[in-house]
Amino acid sequence: MIPEPLEAKADRMPPSTAGMTTKVVKGSLWTLAGQVAPLGVSLVTTPFTIRLLGAEGYGVLILVGLIPTYLGFADFGMSMASTKFGSEAYAEGDEEKEGRIVRTAALIALMTSVPVAALLIFFAGQIIGLFNVPPELSSDAVLALRLASITFVINFLCGIFNTPQLARLRMDLNTFINASSRILGLLATPLVLYLGYGIVGAVTVLLLASLLNLAGHLAVAATLLPGLVRISIEWSALFRVFRFGVGLTGAGIAFLLLSNLDKGVLPAMVSVEQLAYYSVAFTIAGLMTMFSQAMTQSLLPAFSQLSGPHNLAHGRDLFSRALRLNLIVLLPALASLAVIAEPFISFWAGKDFGKESIEPFFILLIGVLFNLPSYLPMCAIISTGRTGLLAKVYLIELIPYVAALVLFTGAWGAKGTAVAWSIRSLLDSIILFVLAKRVTGFSPDFNRISTVALSGLLFSIPVIMVLISGGPTFIVSSSLIVCMLLYSAIVWEKLLAREEIAWLRSRLMFFKAK
């Protein structure tokens, strides 16, 4: 057997896993910045969109965007499969294999998603007819859904061809591409509405933004992974990728239903106007999931690279730290959002929204509190390839959740929808943490987590006060500031590890030097 050349061995040298926690934190902050920047633009542009379309038109626009989302499983799980198996290949130092895996995932995604998109386009009229869409908006909704069906295929490819950035934890590049295309789309949407192009014009803008996003990912991916632009696929990993996709597709179908059934049941049982009010509440409450989602995008490739018994201790430490940092950041953020919610929604979306959205918002905020940590065990389970477990969990949850949605929505409208969603979030989080411990051995450091939770009880004071007073009075705002200061002192003294404090100090010194 001819020995492998030294140059080839050097090319396949596995990258170091040292400082993985720091890489994940940096990557999470970049991803968070990439979510916050478009959000800031959205906060400015969405009120114009709502006012230009009206409550019914805005509800239809939301509905058109949601329908393809129900079919998010159509890529057969290849976005996550590409990230998982591509990250493993990168950890082995085999970039040729990484490129073949990305191409394999893209091919499978096209083969499974294009037929689904074609069916959506063909049956768009019948699908729109299932919802209480006003007759005068029906034809626009049908054409908009057809355009959105093309967009969702392009989005699948974007989620695959960003693998080289994710595997290398180059979230700065991934963030720039995603955020810039989203911002351009958000800025253009009210403009095309003002020019009179309506719902169809708004959806066309989103299609063009997705094409721009795909072009950016392809250009950067080809630079980071020069072997990407070839025609071969990874036959040896085809079965593993397929099996992973089967489990993730099952989980994806159930999860997408769980995640979006509330927004389908509400207009079907009540009205699209109530959907608009609920969606604003859901959007504002969902702001708090950004940090968890941002960290998840970094954690999946990190956990994949740390797979194996020799890296188990590193994986456990990363899991525990990620959960603790999530809670440390998000508890005060939840309290702050609760304090400013009512006047903010009234100013941002209008007085009617401030009146109708605020009660569902507070109910949803309770669910978000339990939903926030669940991304972490879900990510850990996916990194092991045990996606079939997630499918079973979500399918088991589906029937009682549908029953709860129908029961509570029928009884209390949008408030009942929020109650059903929050109860499911609590139960889902508990189940996922139990499964993650059994499958990966990862579990939280309960001593530190309990300390975080007890410290976070400080924020119950301003939240209870705002519920009683009905708004952020001077006393409420002052109590929030005092609680923030006390909480910050506790975090610095009790909740952060020495190396985390050292890292923060180094960052502060860096910015001070700048």
Side-chain angles (χ1 to χ4, degrees), residues 54-366:
E56 286 188 334
Y58 184 63
V60 170
L61 180 62
I62 294 170
L63 183 64
V64 167
L66 282 174
I67 291 172
T69 303
Y70 288 128
L71 301 172
F73 60 87
D75 75 333
F76 207 64
M78 289 302 105
S79 297
M80 285 193 177
S82 179
T83 300
K84 171 183 163 50
F85 293 106
S87 296
E88 290 177 354
Y90 173 71
E92 296 167 2
D94 193 343
E95 292 192 348
E96 290 292 332
K97 180 180 178 181
E98 181 187 356
R100 292 194 300 270
I101 285 173
V102 174
R103 293 192 294 272
T104 301
L107 177 62
I108 295 173
L110 284 173
M111 291 173 63
T112 56
S113 64
V114 169
V116 174
L119 289 172
L120 268 180
I121 292 170
F122 186 78
F123 291 106
Q126 290 84 344
I127 294 170
I128 291 298
L130 296 174
F131 301 92
N132 293 325
V133 174
E136 64 273 15
L137 297 175
S138 180
S139 60
D140 282 352
V142 170
L143 179 55
L145 178 58
R146 289 171 175 158
L147 292 171
S149 303
I150 300 171
T151 302
F152 101 122
V153 174
I154 297 169
N155 288 339
F156 288 148
L157 296 178
C158 294
I160 292 171
F161 285 109
N162 69 348
T163 295
Q165 295 104 286
L166 300 184
R168 290 155 183 77
L169 293 176
R170 290 300 307 273
M171 301 303 176
D172 52 341
L173 298 174
N174 190 57
T175 292
F176 176 78
I177 296 168
N178 289 335
S180 59
S181 60
R182 285 185 63 196
I183 288 172
L184 288 174
L186 288 167
L187 290 173
T189 296
L191 177 61
V192 299
L193 291 175
Y194 178 76
L195 293 174
Y197 292 102
I199 296 170
V200 174
V203 176
T204 302
V205 166
L206 298 179
L207 172 59
L208 295 175
S210 294
L211 287 170
L212 179 64
N213 186 280
L214 178 59
H217 282 305
L218 285 170
V220 172
T223 302
L224 294 175
L225 186 61
L228 178 64
V229 188
R230 295 182 184 175
I231 59 174
S232 59
I233 63 173
E234 181 59 22
W235 293 103
S236 64
L238 190 60
F239 177 73
R240 288 192 300 142
V241 172
F242 180 81
R243 184 174 62 182
F244 181 92
V246 169
L248 199 59
T249 299
I253 293 172
F255 182 73
L256 285 167
L257 287 171
L258 289 170
S259 301
N260 297 291
L261 266 174
D262 52 344
K263 303 176 192 70
V265 169
L266 187 57
M269 294 188 67
V270 188
S271 68
V272 290
E273 186 177 16
Q274 283 296 307
L275 172 63
Y277 295 137
Y278 176 82
S279 295
V280 166
F282 194 92
T283 298
I284 301 302
L287 294 177
M288 295 298 97
T289 65
M290 288 193 305
F291 186 74
S292 297
Q293 292 173 342
M295 187 166 281
T296 298
Q297 194 167 40
S298 298
L299 283 170
L300 179 57
F303 281 144
S304 297
Q305 292 180 41
L306 293 174
S307 60
H310 55 289
N311 282 319
L312 182 59
H314 293 296
R316 286 175 177 168
D317 180 66
L318 181 58
F319 183 90
S320 184
R321 287 194 182 199
L323 176 60
R324 179 165 47 86
L325 291 173
N326 260 284
L327 293 176
I328 286 174
V329 172
L330 292 167
L331 287 175
L334 284 169
S336 301
L337 190 61
V339 168
I340 67 170
E342 193 277 332
F344 175 78
I345 293 174
S346 297
F347 172 77
W348 180 62
K351 291 183 178 180
D352 288 342
F353 283 85
K355 179 181 178 182
E356 298 292 336
S357 298
I358 193 64
E359 288 186 348
F361 165 80
F362 276 109
I363 298 170
L364 288 168
L365 208 62
I366 297 171

